[in-house]
């Protein structure tokens, strides 16, 4: 595709030398050799979360990129090669990383591990949410599909595995529609209407991930821990955040290593 050609041209410009002196190809935003990034990749928004995941959940993790301090690592989990890459916040940012990961580095199974705000009374702080679909107010859908309201959805096999893993681990999860918004501070959005139609949570990346994965015929899923509640105004304590993060990570890791 044309975008792939652009990436290749930019990658050629971005050819670099590692400290050991070997030539390697990177993309504009990810400094890695092909083969240094696993086909299975976890995607937190926060680059320090990527570091934390690499150090605490993967074996033998090695950093492969730090361009713009957006960190990426590859290690193993239960012997399976897994990468973890920060994506930054919002659809424009995650779209850059996901495009390069898919088209330049061959990633095939991508799981976002993020946080979201709860919008629904049935969703509680500390819950783990799985985005079966991701509605959005982003121009992304219009720009690609004009007047068709394409519905970005999770890969079914990953969704099924994540739900099965959660059941096996005895961890409660909620599965449904989320909204990926363009503005964190948005006084114009009609949250009560979204809630009426069953939207469970609000975040800023899943619709971009699902749409790019659909275009490239690769598999993607987004999991979230609920960090704050829009109906009640509550926020997680540091301890609650940590426990629900661990729960989400267990589900994500068990899901990503499956065939
Ligand atoms: N809005 C958008 N994104 C978010 C939120 C929120 O309230 N909480 C976590 N990610």
């Amino acid at each position: 595709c044309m975008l792939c050609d652009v990436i290749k041209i930019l990658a050629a410009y971005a050819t670099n030398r590692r400290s050991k002196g070997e030539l390697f190809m990177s993309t504009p935003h990810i400094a890695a050799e092909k083969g240094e990034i696993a086909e299975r990749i976890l995607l937190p928004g926060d680059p320090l979360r990527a570091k934390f995941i690499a150090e605490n959940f993967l074996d033998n993790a090695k950093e492969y990129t730090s361009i713009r301090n957006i960190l990426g690592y590859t290690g193993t989990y239960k012997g399976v090669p897994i990468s973890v890459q920060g994506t930054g916040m919002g659809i424009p940012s995650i779209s850059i990383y996901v495009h390069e990961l898919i088209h330049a580095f061959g990633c095939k199974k991508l799981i976002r591990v993020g946080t979201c705000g709860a919008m629904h009374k049935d969703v509680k702080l500390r819950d783990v949410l799985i985005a079966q679909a991701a509605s959005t107010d982003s121009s992304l859908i219009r720009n690609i599909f004009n007047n068709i309201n394409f519905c970005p959805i999770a890969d079914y096999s990953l969704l099924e595995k994540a739900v099965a893993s959660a059941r096996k681990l005895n961890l409660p999860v909620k599965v449904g529609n989320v909204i990926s918004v363009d503005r964190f501070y948005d006084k114009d959005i009609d949250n009560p209407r979204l809630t009426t139609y069953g939207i469970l949570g609000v975040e800023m990346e899943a619709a971009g991930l699902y749409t790019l994965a659909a275009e490239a015929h690769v598999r993607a899923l987004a999991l979230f821990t609920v960090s704050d509640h829009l109906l009640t105004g509550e926020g997680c304590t540091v301890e609650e955040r940590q426990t629900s993060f661990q729960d989400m990570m267990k589900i994500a890791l068990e899901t990503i290593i499956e065939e």
Side-chain angles (χ1 to χ4, degrees):
C1 69
M2 209 178 84
L3 274 174
C4 307
D5 293 339
V6 171
I7 286 279
K8 280 180 200 144
I9 292 162
L10 289 170
Y13 278 118
T15 297
N16 269 312
R17 280 182 186 278
R18 281 229 191 268
S19 51
K20 59 187 175 190
E22 282 173 12
L23 206 63
F24 82 107
M25 296 283 281
S26 73
T27 58
H29 308 94
I30 301 173
E33 270 180 88
K34 208 170 156 84
E36 274 189 310
I37 305 179
E39 283 190 1
R40 295 168 161 87
I41 189 156
L42 299 168
L43 304 170
D46 180 351
L48 292 179
R49 259 295 154 79
K51 186 174 199 281
F52 183 85
I53 291 167
E55 287 171 354
N56 293 280
F57 294 91
L58 301 182
D59 298 318
N60 305 313
K62 268 181 39 197
E63 184 187 291
Y64 59 76
T65 187
S66 63
I67 295 182
R68 289 175 184 247
N69 283 331
I70 302 288
L71 306 168
Y73 302 80
T74 300
T76 60
Y77 176 74
K78 296 189 177 173
V80 180
I82 307 284
S83 293
V84 55
Q85 164 78 53
T87 64
M89 289 177 283
I91 288 176
S93 185
I94 195 172
S95 297
I96 291 171
Y97 292 97
V98 165
H99 184 97
E100 293 179 11
L101 290 168
I102 294 172
H103 295 285
F105 297 104
C107 293
K108 302 247 180 286
K109 218 189 249 191
L110 304 94
I111 302 187
R112 167 161 155 72
V113 281
T115 59
C116 73
M119 294 187 56
H120 204 277
K121 62 174 177 27
D122 297 343
V123 179
K124 311 257 174 312
L125 286 183
R126 277 208 47 198
D127 277 356
V128 175
L129 289 192
I130 306 180
Q132 182 179 12
S135 303
T136 187
D137 63 353
S138 165
S139 61
L140 168 90
I141 305 297
R142 290 196 282 294
N143 287 344
I144 302 173
F145 296 96
N146 299 313
N147 63 338
I148 292 172
N149 295 308
F150 173 76
C151 179
I153 59 168
D155 174 77
Y156 183 70
S157 66
L158 288 182
L159 176 63
E160 203 177 22
K161 275 169 199 138
V163 173
S165 303
R167 286 218 178 99
K168 213 160 135 190
L169 294 161
N170 213 10
L171 299 170
V173 288
K174 301 242 161 41
V175 181
N177 202 351
V178 302
I179 181 148
S180 305
V181 295
D182 264 355
R183 284 191 289 164
F184 185 92
Y185 300 104
D186 187 345
K187 59 187 178 345
D188 306 310
I189 198 159
D190 189 346
N191 284 333
R193 176 170 297 165
L194 293 168
T195 306
T196 301
Y197 281 75
I199 300 277
L200 300 176
V202 54
E203 56 85 60
M204 302 185 72
E205 295 83 15
L209 170 63
Y210 286 0
T211 303
L212 267 61
E215 179 196 24
H217 308 146
V218 298
R219 300 197 269 165
L221 184 69
L223 309 179
F224 316 98
T225 58
V226 175
S227 58
D228 49 292
H229 210 299
L230 271 63
L231 297 179
T232 63
E234 306 161 275
C236 265
T237 64
V238 173
E239 204 177 20
E240 285 170 334
R241 229 175 243 255
Q242 201 53 35
T243 318
S244 49
F245 178 73
Q246 301 271 346
D247 290 353
M248 174 179 66
M249 284 306 304
K250 282 184 209 156
I251 298 167
L253 287 163
E254 292 303 319
T255 303
I256 208 162
I257 59 169
E258 294 257 343
E259 251 334 285

